[in-house]
Amino acid sequence: MVSPTSPDGLDKVTFQKLVASFGFQMTPQDEADYFALVKAIEDEVNEVEAMPAYVDPRLAPCVATPVSERTYSMLDRKDNPLNAWSHRFTLKDDKAVATGILAGRTVALKDTISVAGIPLTLGTHPYQLTTSPDVPYPVPTIDAPIVTRLVESGGVIVGMATCENFCMSGLSDTSATGPVDNPWLKGYAAGGSSSGSGVLTAVTAVKKWRQKRNCPVNEPELGEGVDLAIGGDQGGSIRLPAAFSGTYGLKPTHGLVPYTGIASLHPICDHAGPMASSVNDVALLLSAIAGYDGMDPRATPNTPLRSNVPAYHELLQAAISDKQDRGEWTPTAAGKGLRVGLLKEALDLPKLDPNVASVVRAAAAKFERLGATVVDVSVPLHSKGGAIWTAAMRGAMADVFLASKAPDLHAHTTTGVTPPKMTQAWYETMTKSSPMVVTAVLGSAYIGDSARFPHRYRNKAVSHIVQLRAAYDAVLADVDVLLLPVTPTVGPPHSITTAGEAGNMSVLELYATNLGVSDNTAPFNITGHPALAMPGGWAPAAVSEGLTAGGKLPVGVQIVGKHHDEVGVLLAASILEVAGLGLDEE
């Protein structure tokens, strides 16, 4: 505890400087009284700081794999050719594997999720998150609820997937361990920030796609994948890698999947969700992880308790079976009764590649051939969604994701993570590997200065979130789902090399590669609507020096639904695939 005479404690000189900073003039008696009152506040803060740390018993590590038996390994590059693995370990419950709904399916976690005894890297460099030179990364003492649920559902967690440096990139070349390669074309972005989660599920999809066509499967170039993965999405970080990598990723309704024990960017936009190589597997994984945990402040009155979580995979199959019983599950009738809104503003974004727009319009036409009603819809405020996201969060964001500031509502925060020291060495490392992080720090410091930007600036932005949410809700009152692109292009070539070098690119040029990537995804992070990215087709890859010319990469389409209508979103995706899988459109 800080003593009253400590240089770190409140003394008269410090207090007088504090008073002067407000321009107040006090009588000697008032000064003495206010000093005593502020000192009492400091004493209570110190009293709480001296208390032992509290760990909620609901976060106790899974007993199926005791912490003492948890070991992990880092893979050699030959065993991790796409750099999609951060580190490997195994958590499972043999009894649950035999009886649970996941039935032994392998699962990878984004390297932002707390697992007791396993290092947490957040995609950044050693010693950025700890104060001890003997501990390169923090080692949590808790299992995030999502981890416990996966094990209890029979999943076999087999490791941490690489993520982008402090999760601040929508591409896949900023991780401290180097770029994460697209499994369809090496040297190209796989999407971020859940880059490894997307790639590890896509490895499975790539192998199946090639085997189906009797194409060679080069195992050493792909490495080992997984059946399922968990991603985190604050501006598109589940949907972007799903789209770039040709797989499926669902950002659920805000608060549906508990974010407790997961490193936060900001509670207003944090989402965790399922990634897989099929719609059915996304539904299955959502059933395993959804439901209020009693701790996450992101939950709402509409968030189901864990005991009341719908079996999404069963509800999806029941809806399909109902159509099958009516003879409608055909390429001409599966969409009967479905109303799809093609979002005009999402197709009018200035950086949208015409090839991507063509794939989305082809998906709309496919819905029509399936018997669905497709109409053009307009939400003018959608084009301002990225700016609203920025204005609502940039002022406080760095305090959360770098300094581990707890949410203003009660929550159990990520343990053991300390803010990095903003030294010249830190600046140079981050500028080289991820200028997005440096920009976030500088932007938060500037925008967060209430002398320049009074709270009314952010208050206004938050009110526009309410306006944007209402605008989407108004359109979704007339249609069942929205259809729009995920990304403006297919995965671009990496800007940063395996050696962590950006060549002669300036900071602005590096940052520009990320600009606009999340314009069609970030708006739904702040409004909380469920949004699914799924493969829709192909588009030509950009030709770059030293990379294969004439290649193609997946294009993702996005389906957005009403709050807590995940089944409706997944059913719409399933209907679309009755006419053929998106990656069959060669």
Side-chain angles (χ1 to χ4, degrees), residues 539-576:
V543 177
S544 183
E545 184 178 352
L547 297 177
T548 304
K552 290 185 177 181
L553 284 168
V555 174
V557 299
Q558 187 172 191
I559 297 176
V560 178
K562 302 175 179 67
H563 290 94
H564 290 288
D565 188 22
E566 276 72 13
V567 173
V569 169
L570 295 167
L571 178 60
S574 300
I575 288 170
L576 185 61

Side-chain angles (χ1 to χ4, degrees), residues 17 21 57 105 120 131 133 167 170 187 213 215 221 232 319 324 379 399 401 438 464 512 514 530:
K17 290 180 179 178
S21 71
R105 308 292 289 281
L120 187 70
T131 57
C167 301
R213 290 157 180 78
C215 297
E221 284 194 358
Q324 289 173 333
V379 178
D399 286 342
F401 86 90
V438 180
H464 285 308
N514 269 267

Side-chain angles (χ1 to χ4, degrees), residues 84-152:
W85 290 104
S86 178
H87 39 280
R88 299 294 304 269
F89 60 92
T90 301
L91 289 185
K92 66 176 180 176
D93 181 334
D94 289 332
K95 181 178 180 181
V97 166
T99 59
I101 60 171
L102 297 184
R105 308 292 289 281
T106 56
V107 187
L109 306 174
K110 185 178 184 179
D111 199 356
T112 56
I113 300 173
S114 294
V115 178
I118 305 298
L120 187 70
T121 80
L122 309 190
T124 195
H125 306 79
Y127 312 112
Q128 295 282 18
L129 308 173
T130 66
T131 57
S132 170
D134 299 321
V135 183
Y137 293 108
V139 179
T141 59
I142 65 170
D143 282 351
I146 201 170
V147 172
T148 301
R149 292 177 180 184
L150 288 167
V151 174
E152 290 176 345

